[in-house]
């Protein structure tokens, strides 16, 4: 396999994952991992995925992945891992620094790399992703590391951004996502 940037696993609800999706610089690769002693490449779809951030939607059988430099989020149909295809390439304002997916409610969250703004997108139709909201109060410029984590039970999004240098900084933000079209920083 090529240099791995990121990966996500797909499996049954109470069963181990049987397929692994791997992001490389130039493609998404599906790998059969039902026999862990002999993983086998299933197929590959070309796309400029060099940022290496991806999330898997079991509900929609899609992988959502970011690009670097091209400023895009790409949705890839993985319902048939042997024949994957790009459903949509969505242009965004700047590179995404982090992704998180609320699979139950079909909402994709991404954090903008240059200023830390957080966006919510409806991905119920992966071939037609649409923006719901953007929250700017969590903005933090000049970040190096970013992460998003969802608490579905309490409908909260924990956003982290920081820079590790001599006088580094870090910021954590808690966001109410009970209405993804109207997010509120708590």
């Amino acid at each position: 396999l090529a240099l791995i940037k990121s990966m996500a696993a797909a499996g049954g609800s109470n069963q181990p994952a049987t397929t692994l999706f791997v992001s490389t610089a130039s493609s998404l690769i599906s790998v059969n991992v039902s026999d862990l002693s002999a993983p086998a490449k299933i197929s590959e779809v070309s796309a400029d995925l060099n940022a290496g951030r991806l999330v898997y939607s079991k509900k929609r059988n899609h992988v959502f992945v970011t690009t670097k430099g091209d400023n895009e989020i790409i949705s890839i149909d993985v319902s048939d891992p042997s024949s994957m295809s790009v459903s949509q390439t969505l242009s965004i304002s700047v590179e995404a620094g982090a992704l998180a997916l609320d699979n139950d409610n079909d909402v994709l969250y991404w954090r903008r790399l240059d200023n830390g703004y957080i966006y919510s997108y409806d991905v119920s139709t992966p071939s037609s992703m649409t923006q719901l909201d953007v929250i700017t109060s969590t903005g933090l410029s000049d970040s190096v590391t970013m992460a998003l984590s969802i608490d579905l039970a309490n409908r909260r999004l924990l956003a982290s951004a920081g820079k590790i240098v001599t006088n580094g900084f870090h910021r954590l933000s808690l966001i109410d996502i009970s209405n993804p079209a109207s997010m509120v920083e708590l």
Side-chain angles (χ1 to χ4, degrees):
L1 292 178
L3 179 63
I4 294 174
K5 296 290 186 173
S6 187
M7 65 181 102
S13 59
N14 293 320
Q15 300 171 4
T18 57
T19 305
L20 183 69
F21 298 103
V22 179
S23 170
T24 70
S26 60
S27 64
L28 183 74
I29 299 171
S30 57
V31 180
N32 181 330
V33 291
S34 56
D35 178 357
L36 294 177
S37 65
K41 179 179 173 181
I42 301 170
S43 74
E44 182 172 354
V45 62
S46 293
D48 181 16
L49 308 178
N50 58 7
R53 295 169 189 91
L54 68 88
V55 290
Y56 168 70
S57 171
K58 180 179 178 183
K59 182 177 181 182
R60 299 292 169 199
N61 284 313
H62 271 73
V63 167
F64 300 96
V65 64
T66 64
T67 64
K68 184 173 184 171
D70 293 336
N71 302 336
E72 297 168 332
I73 296 175
I74 300 174
S75 66
I76 300 174
D77 182 344
V78 296
S79 55
D80 177 0
S82 66
S83 181
M84 300 179 293
S85 62
V86 173
S87 294
Q88 181 184 9
T89 300
L90 176 71
S91 292
I92 56 177
S93 50
V94 75
E95 183 181 342
L99 289 176
L101 178 67
D102 177 349
N103 193 54
D104 293 341
N105 295 297
D106 292 315
V107 180
L108 178 69
Y109 298 92
W110 68 276
R111 186 154 200 174
R112 188 173 158 157
L113 189 61
D114 67 338
N115 62 18
Y117 294 1
I118 297 173
Y119 294 78
S120 58
Y121 273 77
D122 178 341
V123 293
S124 58
T125 305
S127 61
S128 182
M129 297 178 278
T130 56
Q131 183 177 329
L132 297 170
D133 195 17
V134 59
I135 187 166
T136 61
S137 61
T138 65
L140 183 64
S141 62
D142 197 28
S143 292
V144 174
T145 61
M146 292 187 168
L148 295 172
S149 182
I150 299 176
D151 173 359
L152 292 175
N154 296 303
R155 306 293 301 143
R156 302 287 187 257
L157 179 71
L158 180 62
S160 168
K163 185 173 185 178
I164 301 170
V165 292
T166 303
N167 295 314
F169 58 85
H170 202 85
R171 178 176 177 167
L172 293 173
S173 301
L174 187 61
I175 300 153
D176 180 344
I177 57 170
S178 55
N179 179 357
S182 183
M183 300 181 289
V184 176
E185 183 177 17
L186 301 171

Short mmCIF file of all heavy atoms in Angstrom, two decimals, residues 87-149:
data_model
loop_
_atom_site.label_atom_id
_atom_site.label_comp_id
_atom_site.label_asym_id
_atom_site.label_seq_id
_atom_site.Cartn_x
_atom_site.Cartn_y
_atom_site.Cartn_z
N SER A 87 -19.05 10.63 -5.29
CA SER A 87 -20.42 11.13 -5.41
C SER A 87 -20.46 12.64 -5.57
O SER A 87 -21.27 13.18 -6.30
CB SER A 87 -21.24 10.75 -4.18
OG SER A 87 -21.41 9.36 -4.10
N GLN A 88 -19.59 13.34 -4.83
CA GLN A 88 -19.54 14.80 -4.93
C GLN A 88 -18.16 15.29 -4.50
O GLN A 88 -17.56 14.75 -3.57
CB GLN A 88 -20.60 15.47 -4.05
CG GLN A 88 -20.60 16.99 -4.15
CD GLN A 88 -21.57 17.68 -3.22
OE1 GLN A 88 -22.17 17.07 -2.36
NE2 GLN A 88 -21.74 18.98 -3.39
N THR A 89 -17.71 16.33 -5.16
CA THR A 89 -16.54 17.07 -4.74
C THR A 89 -17.02 18.46 -4.39
O THR A 89 -17.49 19.20 -5.26
CB THR A 89 -15.47 17.12 -5.85
OG1 THR A 89 -15.09 15.77 -6.17
CG2 THR A 89 -14.25 17.90 -5.41
N LEU A 90 -16.96 18.80 -3.10
CA LEU A 90 -17.48 20.07 -2.59
C LEU A 90 -16.32 21.03 -2.35
O LEU A 90 -15.42 20.72 -1.58
CB LEU A 90 -18.23 19.82 -1.28
CG LEU A 90 -18.76 21.03 -0.55
CD1 LEU A 90 -19.94 21.63 -1.31
CD2 LEU A 90 -19.18 20.65 0.86
N SER A 91 -16.35 22.17 -3.01
CA SER A 91 -15.33 23.20 -2.78
C SER A 91 -15.65 23.90 -1.47
O SER A 91 -16.80 24.28 -1.22
CB SER A 91 -15.32 24.21 -3.92
OG SER A 91 -14.86 23.60 -5.10
N ILE A 92 -14.62 24.07 -0.64
CA ILE A 92 -14.76 24.81 0.62
C ILE A 92 -13.77 25.96 0.60
O ILE A 92 -12.87 26.00 -0.24
CB ILE A 92 -14.57 23.88 1.84
CG1 ILE A 92 -13.23 23.15 1.79
CG2 ILE A 92 -15.73 22.90 1.96
CD1 ILE A 92 -12.92 22.27 3.00
N SER A 93 -13.93 26.90 1.53
CA SER A 93 -13.15 28.14 1.50
C SER A 93 -11.66 27.94 1.74
O SER A 93 -10.84 28.69 1.22
CB SER A 93 -13.71 29.13 2.51
OG SER A 93 -13.87 28.49 3.76
N VAL A 94 -11.31 26.95 2.56
CA VAL A 94 -9.91 26.70 2.88
C VAL A 94 -9.82 25.25 3.37
O VAL A 94 -10.85 24.60 3.59
CB VAL A 94 -9.41 27.71 3.95
CG1 VAL A 94 -9.94 27.40 5.31
CG2 VAL A 94 -7.89 27.84 3.95
N GLU A 95 -8.63 24.76 3.58
CA GLU A 95 -8.45 23.37 4.00
C GLU A 95 -9.13 23.09 5.34
O GLU A 95 -9.13 23.91 6.25
CB GLU A 95 -6.96 23.08 4.14
CG GLU A 95 -6.65 21.65 4.51
CD GLU A 95 -5.17 21.39 4.67
OE1 GLU A 95 -4.35 22.18 4.19
OE2 GLU A 95 -4.84 20.37 5.28
N ALA A 96 -9.72 21.91 5.46
CA ALA A 96 -10.34 21.46 6.71
C ALA A 96 -9.26 20.90 7.62
O ALA A 96 -8.44 20.09 7.20
CB ALA A 96 -11.39 20.39 6.43
N GLY A 97 -9.25 21.35 8.88
CA GLY A 97 -8.26 20.89 9.84
C GLY A 97 -8.72 19.68 10.62
O GLY A 97 -7.91 18.98 11.22
N ALA A 98 -10.03 19.42 10.64
CA ALA A 98 -10.58 18.27 11.35
C ALA A 98 -11.98 17.98 10.82
O ALA A 98 -12.67 18.88 10.34
CB ALA A 98 -10.63 18.54 12.85
N LEU A 99 -12.39 16.71 10.93
CA LEU A 99 -13.73 16.27 10.53
C LEU A 99 -14.34 15.47 11.67
O LEU A 99 -13.64 14.78 12.40
CB LEU A 99 -13.68 15.33 9.32
CG LEU A 99 -13.34 15.86 7.96
CD1 LEU A 99 -13.27 14.70 6.96
CD2 LEU A 99 -14.35 16.88 7.49
N ALA A 100 -15.68 15.54 11.78
CA ALA A 100 -16.43 14.67 12.68
C ALA A 100 -17.79 14.43 12.03
O ALA A 100 -18.33 15.31 11.36
CB ALA A 100 -16.60 15.29 14.06
N LEU A 101 -18.33 13.24 12.24
CA LEU A 101 -19.59 12.88 11.61
C LEU A 101 -20.60 12.42 12.65
O LEU A 101 -20.31 11.54 13.46
CB LEU A 101 -19.38 11.75 10.59
CG LEU A 101 -20.63 11.23 9.88
CD1 LEU A 101 -21.23 12.29 8.98
CD2 LEU A 101 -20.31 9.97 9.09
N ASP A 102 -21.77 13.02 12.63
CA ASP A 102 -22.92 12.55 13.38
C ASP A 102 -23.69 11.66 12.41
O ASP A 102 -24.53 12.13 11.64
CB ASP A 102 -23.77 13.73 13.86
CG ASP A 102 -25.03 13.30 14.59
OD1 ASP A 102 -25.38 12.10 14.56
OD2 ASP A 102 -25.70 14.18 15.17
N ASN A 103 -23.36 10.38 12.41
CA ASN A 103 -23.92 9.44 11.46
C ASN A 103 -25.44 9.30 11.62
O ASN A 103 -26.16 9.20 10.63
CB ASN A 103 -23.24 8.07 11.62
CG ASN A 103 -23.52 7.13 10.48
OD1 ASN A 103 -23.30 7.47 9.33
ND2 ASN A 103 -24.02 5.95 10.80
N ASP A 104 -25.93 9.31 12.86
CA ASP A 104 -27.37 9.14 13.10
C ASP A 104 -28.19 10.27 12.49
O ASP A 104 -29.30 10.06 12.00
CB ASP A 104 -27.67 9.06 14.60
CG ASP A 104 -27.09 7.80 15.23
OD1 ASP A 104 -26.79 6.83 14.50
OD2 ASP A 104 -26.93 7.79 16.46
N ASN A 105 -27.66 11.48 12.53
CA ASN A 105 -28.41 12.65 12.06
C ASN A 105 -27.90 13.21 10.74
O ASN A 105 -28.34 14.27 10.30
CB ASN A 105 -28.38 13.75 13.13
CG ASN A 105 -29.12 13.29 14.37
OD1 ASN A 105 -30.32 13.03 14.33
ND2 ASN A 105 -28.41 13.17 15.48
N ASP A 106 -26.96 12.50 10.10
CA ASP A 106 -26.45 12.89 8.78
C ASP A 106 -25.86 14.30 8.77
O ASP A 106 -26.13 15.09 7.87
CB ASP A 106 -27.54 12.79 7.71
CG ASP A 106 -27.96 11.38 7.40
OD1 ASP A 106 -27.07 10.51 7.27
OD2 ASP A 106 -29.18 11.13 7.30
N VAL A 107 -25.04 14.62 9.79
CA VAL A 107 -24.41 15.93 9.83
C VAL A 107 -22.89 15.74 9.89
O VAL A 107 -22.38 15.03 10.74
CB VAL A 107 -24.89 16.77 11.02
CG1 VAL A 107 -24.19 18.13 11.03
CG2 VAL A 107 -26.41 16.95 10.99
N LEU A 108 -22.21 16.40 8.98
CA LEU A 108 -20.75 16.41 8.94
C LEU A 108 -20.28 17.76 9.48
O LEU A 108 -20.77 18.81 9.06
CB LEU A 108 -20.25 16.24 7.50
CG LEU A 108 -18.74 16.29 7.28
CD1 LEU A 108 -18.08 15.06 7.88
CD2 LEU A 108 -18.41 16.41 5.81
N TYR A 109 -19.36 17.71 10.44
CA TYR A 109 -18.76 18.92 11.00
C TYR A 109 -17.32 19.00 10.53
O TYR A 109 -16.63 17.98 10.48
CB TYR A 109 -18.81 18.89 12.53
CG TYR A 109 -20.21 18.84 13.08
CD1 TYR A 109 -20.83 17.62 13.35
CD2 TYR A 109 -20.93 20.02 13.30
CE1 TYR A 109 -22.13 17.58 13.83
CE2 TYR A 109 -22.23 19.98 13.79
CZ TYR A 109 -22.82 18.77 14.05
OH TYR A 109 -24.11 18.73 14.52
N TRP A 110 -16.88 20.18 10.18
CA TRP A 110 -15.46 20.35 9.83
C TRP A 110 -14.97 21.67 10.38
O TRP A 110 -15.72 22.62 10.54
CB TRP A 110 -15.21 20.22 8.34
CG TRP A 110 -15.76 21.27 7.43
CD1 TRP A 110 -17.02 21.35 6.92
CD2 TRP A 110 -15.06 22.41 6.91
NE1 TRP A 110 -17.15 22.45 6.12
CE2 TRP A 110 -15.96 23.11 6.09
CE3 TRP A 110 -13.76 22.88 7.05
CZ2 TRP A 110 -15.60 24.28 5.40
CZ3 TRP A 110 -13.40 24.04 6.37
CH2 TRP A 110 -14.32 24.72 5.56
N ARG A 111 -13.69 21.68 10.74
CA ARG A 111 -13.05 22.85 11.33
C ARG A 111 -12.09 23.44 10.32
O ARG A 111 -11.23 22.75 9.78
CB ARG A 111 -12.31 22.47 12.61
CG ARG A 111 -11.78 23.67 13.32
CD ARG A 111 -11.62 23.44 14.78
NE ARG A 111 -11.57 24.75 15.43
CZ ARG A 111 -11.55 24.91 16.71
NH1 ARG A 111 -11.60 23.87 17.51
NH2 ARG A 111 -11.49 26.11 17.23
N ARG A 112 -12.26 24.70 10.08
CA ARG A 112 -11.45 25.42 9.10
C ARG A 112 -10.04 25.61 9.64
O ARG A 112 -9.85 26.09 10.75
CB ARG A 112 -12.12 26.76 8.82
CG ARG A 112 -11.53 27.52 7.70
CD ARG A 112 -12.39 28.73 7.41
NE ARG A 112 -11.60 29.71 6.71
CZ ARG A 112 -12.11 30.65 5.96
NH1 ARG A 112 -13.41 30.76 5.83
NH2 ARG A 112 -11.33 31.51 5.35
N LEU A 113 -9.03 25.24 8.84
CA LEU A 113 -7.65 25.23 9.31
C LEU A 113 -7.08 26.62 9.59
O LEU A 113 -6.35 26.82 10.55
CB LEU A 113 -6.76 24.51 8.29
CG LEU A 113 -5.32 24.23 8.72
CD1 LEU A 113 -5.28 23.33 9.94
CD2 LEU A 113 -4.55 23.59 7.57
N ASP A 114 -7.44 27.61 8.80
CA ASP A 114 -6.79 28.92 8.96
C ASP A 114 -7.34 29.77 10.10
O ASP A 114 -6.63 30.59 10.66
CB ASP A 114 -6.85 29.73 7.65
CG ASP A 114 -8.25 30.15 7.27
OD1 ASP A 114 -9.23 29.53 7.73
OD2 ASP A 114 -8.39 31.12 6.48
N ASN A 115 -8.61 29.58 10.50
CA ASN A 115 -9.16 30.43 11.55
C ASN A 115 -9.99 29.67 12.59
O ASN A 115 -10.51 30.28 13.52
CB ASN A 115 -9.99 31.58 10.95
CG ASN A 115 -11.17 31.10 10.16
OD1 ASN A 115 -11.60 29.96 10.29
ND2 ASN A 115 -11.70 31.96 9.32
N GLY A 116 -10.15 28.37 12.44
CA GLY A 116 -10.83 27.57 13.45
C GLY A 116 -12.34 27.60 13.41
O GLY A 116 -13.00 27.00 14.25
N TYR A 117 -12.94 28.31 12.44
CA TYR A 117 -14.40 28.31 12.34
C TYR A 117 -14.90 26.88 12.17
O TYR A 117 -14.22 26.03 11.56
CB TYR A 117 -14.87 29.13 11.15
CG TYR A 117 -14.61 30.61 11.23
CD1 TYR A 117 -13.95 31.20 12.31
CD2 TYR A 117 -15.01 31.44 10.20
CE1 TYR A 117 -13.72 32.56 12.36
CE2 TYR A 117 -14.78 32.81 10.25
CZ TYR A 117 -14.14 33.36 11.32
OH TYR A 117 -13.91 34.71 11.37
N ILE A 118 -16.09 26.60 12.69
CA ILE A 118 -16.66 25.26 12.60
C ILE A 118 -17.92 25.31 11.75
O ILE A 118 -18.81 26.13 11.98
CB ILE A 118 -16.95 24.67 13.99
CG1 ILE A 118 -15.63 24.53 14.76
CG2 ILE A 118 -17.67 23.33 13.88
CD1 ILE A 118 -15.80 24.13 16.20
N TYR A 119 -17.98 24.40 10.77
CA TYR A 119 -19.10 24.34 9.84
C TYR A 119 -19.89 23.06 10.06
O TYR A 119 -19.30 22.02 10.39
CB TYR A 119 -18.58 24.33 8.39
CG TYR A 119 -17.89 25.60 7.98
CD1 TYR A 119 -16.59 25.87 8.38
CD2 TYR A 119 -18.54 26.53 7.18
CE1 TYR A 119 -15.94 27.05 8.00
CE2 TYR A 119 -17.90 27.70 6.79
CZ TYR A 119 -16.61 27.95 7.21
OH TYR A 119 -15.98 29.11 6.83
N SER A 120 -21.19 23.13 9.84
CA SER A 120 -22.03 21.93 9.84
C SER A 120 -22.65 21.78 8.45
O SER A 120 -23.06 22.77 7.84
CB SER A 120 -23.12 22.01 10.91
OG SER A 120 -23.94 23.15 10.71
N TYR A 121 -22.66 20.53 7.96
CA TYR A 121 -23.20 20.23 6.64
C TYR A 121 -24.17 19.07 6.71
O TYR A 121 -23.91 18.07 7.39
CB TYR A 121 -22.07 19.86 5.65
CG TYR A 121 -21.45 21.05 4.97
CD1 TYR A 121 -20.55 21.86 5.65
CD2 TYR A 121 -21.78 21.38 3.67
CE1 TYR A 121 -19.98 22.96 5.05
CE2 TYR A 121 -21.21 22.48 3.06
CZ TYR A 121 -20.32 23.27 3.74
OH TYR A 121 -19.77 24.36 3.13
N ASP A 122 -25.28 19.20 6.00
CA ASP A 122 -26.24 18.11 5.84
C ASP A 122 -25.66 17.17 4.79
O ASP A 122 -25.40 17.58 3.66
CB ASP A 122 -27.58 18.66 5.38
CG ASP A 122 -28.64 17.60 5.14
OD1 ASP A 122 -28.29 16.41 4.97
OD2 ASP A 122 -29.82 17.96 5.11
N VAL A 123 -25.46 15.89 5.18
CA VAL A 123 -24.92 14.91 4.24
C VAL A 123 -25.91 13.76 4.04
O VAL A 123 -25.52 12.66 3.67
CB VAL A 123 -23.53 14.38 4.68
CG1 VAL A 123 -22.50 15.50 4.62
CG2 VAL A 123 -23.58 13.76 6.07
N SER A 124 -27.20 14.03 4.27
CA SER A 124 -28.22 12.98 4.09
C SER A 124 -28.29 12.53 2.64
O SER A 124 -28.66 11.39 2.36
CB SER A 124 -29.59 13.46 4.57
OG SER A 124 -29.99 14.63 3.88
N THR A 125 -27.90 13.42 1.72
CA THR A 125 -27.74 13.06 0.31
C THR A 125 -26.28 13.31 -0.02
O THR A 125 -25.89 14.45 -0.31
CB THR A 125 -28.67 13.91 -0.58
OG1 THR A 125 -30.00 13.78 -0.12
CG2 THR A 125 -28.57 13.48 -2.04
N PRO A 126 -25.44 12.27 0.06
CA PRO A 126 -23.99 12.47 -0.09
C PRO A 126 -23.56 13.08 -1.43
O PRO A 126 -22.45 13.60 -1.54
CB PRO A 126 -23.41 11.07 0.07
CG PRO A 126 -24.43 10.34 0.87
CD PRO A 126 -25.76 10.90 0.43
N SER A 127 -24.43 13.05 -2.42
CA SER A 127 -24.09 13.65 -3.71
C SER A 127 -24.50 15.12 -3.76
O SER A 127 -24.31 15.79 -4.77
CB SER A 127 -24.77 12.89 -4.85
OG SER A 127 -26.18 12.94 -4.68
N SER A 128 -25.07 15.61 -2.65
CA SER A 128 -25.52 17.00 -2.59
C SER A 128 -25.38 17.54 -1.17
O SER A 128 -26.37 17.87 -0.52
CB SER A 128 -26.97 17.10 -3.07
OG SER A 128 -27.39 18.43 -3.07
N MET A 129 -24.14 17.62 -0.68
CA MET A 129 -23.88 18.13 0.67
C MET A 129 -24.21 19.62 0.71
O MET A 129 -23.86 20.35 -0.20
CB MET A 129 -22.42 17.92 1.05
CG MET A 129 -21.99 16.46 1.11
SD MET A 129 -20.24 16.28 1.52
CE MET A 129 -19.47 16.53 -0.09
N THR A 130 -24.91 20.05 1.79
CA THR A 130 -25.29 21.45 1.89
C THR A 130 -24.94 22.00 3.27
O THR A 130 -25.12 21.32 4.28
CB THR A 130 -26.79 21.66 1.63
OG1 THR A 130 -27.54 20.84 2.52
CG2 THR A 130 -27.16 21.31 0.21
N GLN A 131 -24.47 23.25 3.28
CA GLN A 131 -24.08 23.89 4.54
C GLN A 131 -25.32 24.23 5.36
O GLN A 131 -26.31 24.73 4.85
CB GLN A 131 -23.28 25.16 4.27
CG GLN A 131 -22.79 25.82 5.54
CD GLN A 131 -21.92 27.04 5.28
OE1 GLN A 131 -21.22 27.10 4.29
NE2 GLN A 131 -21.99 28.01 6.17
N LEU A 132 -25.24 23.93 6.67
CA LEU A 132 -26.30 24.27 7.61
C LEU A 132 -25.96 25.52 8.41
O LEU A 132 -26.79 26.40 8.60
CB LEU A 132 -26.55 23.11 8.58
CG LEU A 132 -27.03 21.80 7.96
CD1 LEU A 132 -27.01 20.68 8.99
CD2 LEU A 132 -28.41 21.98 7.38
N ASP A 133 -24.73 25.60 8.93
CA ASP A 133 -24.35 26.70 9.81
C ASP A 133 -22.83 26.81 9.85
O ASP A 133 -22.10 25.90 9.44
CB ASP A 133 -24.88 26.45 11.23
CG ASP A 133 -24.86 27.68 12.13
OD1 ASP A 133 -24.73 28.81 11.62
OD2 ASP A 133 -24.96 27.51 13.36
N VAL A 134 -22.37 27.94 10.36
CA VAL A 134 -20.95 28.15 10.66
C VAL A 134 -20.90 28.92 11.97
O VAL A 134 -21.70 29.82 12.20
CB VAL A 134 -20.20 28.91 9.53
CG1 VAL A 134 -20.81 30.27 9.27
CG2 VAL A 134 -18.72 29.04 9.86
N ILE A 135 -20.01 28.50 12.85
CA ILE A 135 -19.84 29.19 14.13
C ILE A 135 -18.43 29.77 14.15
O ILE A 135 -17.45 29.05 13.96
CB ILE A 135 -20.13 28.27 15.32
CG1 ILE A 135 -20.12 29.05 16.63
CG2 ILE A 135 -19.22 27.08 15.37
CD1 ILE A 135 -20.71 28.28 17.80
N THR A 136 -18.34 31.10 14.34
CA THR A 136 -17.06 31.78 14.26
C THR A 136 -16.48 32.09 15.64
O THR A 136 -15.30 32.43 15.73
CB THR A 136 -17.20 33.10 13.47
OG1 THR A 136 -18.13 33.95 14.15
CG2 THR A 136 -17.68 32.84 12.06
N SER A 137 -17.26 31.97 16.68
CA SER A 137 -16.78 32.34 18.02
C SER A 137 -15.67 31.42 18.53
O SER A 137 -14.95 31.77 19.45
CB SER A 137 -17.94 32.34 19.03
OG SER A 137 -18.50 31.04 19.13
N THR A 138 -15.52 30.24 17.92
CA THR A 138 -14.47 29.31 18.33
C THR A 138 -13.18 29.56 17.58
O THR A 138 -12.23 28.82 17.74
CB THR A 138 -14.91 27.86 18.09
OG1 THR A 138 -15.06 27.67 16.67
CG2 THR A 138 -16.19 27.53 18.81
N GLY A 139 -13.17 30.60 16.76
CA GLY A 139 -12.02 30.87 15.90
C GLY A 139 -10.71 30.98 16.66
O GLY A 139 -10.64 31.54 17.74
N LEU A 140 -9.68 30.40 16.09
CA LEU A 140 -8.34 30.44 16.65
C LEU A 140 -7.39 30.39 15.46
O LEU A 140 -7.29 29.38 14.78
CB LEU A 140 -8.12 29.24 17.57
CG LEU A 140 -6.80 29.15 18.30
CD1 LEU A 140 -6.63 30.32 19.25
CD2 LEU A 140 -6.71 27.85 19.07
N SER A 141 -6.74 31.48 15.20
CA SER A 141 -5.88 31.52 14.01
C SER A 141 -4.54 30.87 14.28
O SER A 141 -4.13 30.70 15.42
CB SER A 141 -5.68 32.97 13.57
OG SER A 141 -5.04 33.70 14.58
N ASP A 142 -3.89 30.52 13.21
CA ASP A 142 -2.54 29.98 13.26
C ASP A 142 -2.45 28.69 14.07
O ASP A 142 -1.53 28.49 14.84
CB ASP A 142 -1.58 31.03 13.81
CG ASP A 142 -0.12 30.69 13.49
OD1 ASP A 142 0.11 30.02 12.48
OD2 ASP A 142 0.75 31.09 14.27
N SER A 143 -3.43 27.80 13.90
CA SER A 143 -3.39 26.52 14.60
C SER A 143 -2.58 25.51 13.82
O SER A 143 -2.46 25.58 12.62
CB SER A 143 -4.81 25.98 14.78
OG SER A 143 -5.53 26.79 15.67
N VAL A 144 -2.03 24.56 14.54
CA VAL A 144 -1.29 23.47 13.93
C VAL A 144 -2.04 22.16 14.11
O VAL A 144 -2.13 21.35 13.21
CB VAL A 144 0.13 23.37 14.52
CG1 VAL A 144 0.85 22.16 13.98
CG2 VAL A 144 0.92 24.63 14.20
N THR A 145 -2.60 21.97 15.30
CA THR A 145 -3.34 20.74 15.57
C THR A 145 -4.81 21.07 15.80
O THR A 145 -5.14 22.08 16.42
CB THR A 145 -2.80 20.03 16.83
OG1 THR A 145 -2.94 20.90 17.95
CG2 THR A 145 -1.34 19.66 16.66
N MET A 146 -5.69 20.20 15.29
CA MET A 146 -7.13 20.39 15.46
C MET A 146 -7.78 19.04 15.62
O MET A 146 -7.33 18.06 15.05
CB MET A 146 -7.74 21.09 14.25
CG MET A 146 -7.32 22.51 14.08
SD MET A 146 -8.27 23.28 12.77
CE MET A 146 -7.85 24.97 13.04
N ALA A 147 -8.88 19.04 16.38
CA ALA A 147 -9.67 17.82 16.53
C ALA A 147 -11.11 18.20 16.84
O ALA A 147 -11.38 19.25 17.41
CB ALA A 147 -9.10 16.94 17.64
N LEU A 148 -12.03 17.32 16.46
CA LEU A 148 -13.44 17.45 16.78
C LEU A 148 -13.91 16.12 17.33
O LEU A 148 -13.55 15.06 16.80
CB LEU A 148 -14.27 17.79 15.53
CG LEU A 148 -14.01 19.13 14.87
CD1 LEU A 148 -14.78 19.22 13.55
CD2 LEU A 148 -14.42 20.27 15.78
N SER A 149 -14.73 16.15 18.37
CA SER A 149 -15.27 14.94 18.96
C SER A 149 -16.74 15.19 19.32
O SER A 149 -17.06 16.23 19.90
CB SER A 149 -14.48 14.55 20.21
OG SER A 149 -14.97 13.35 20.74
#
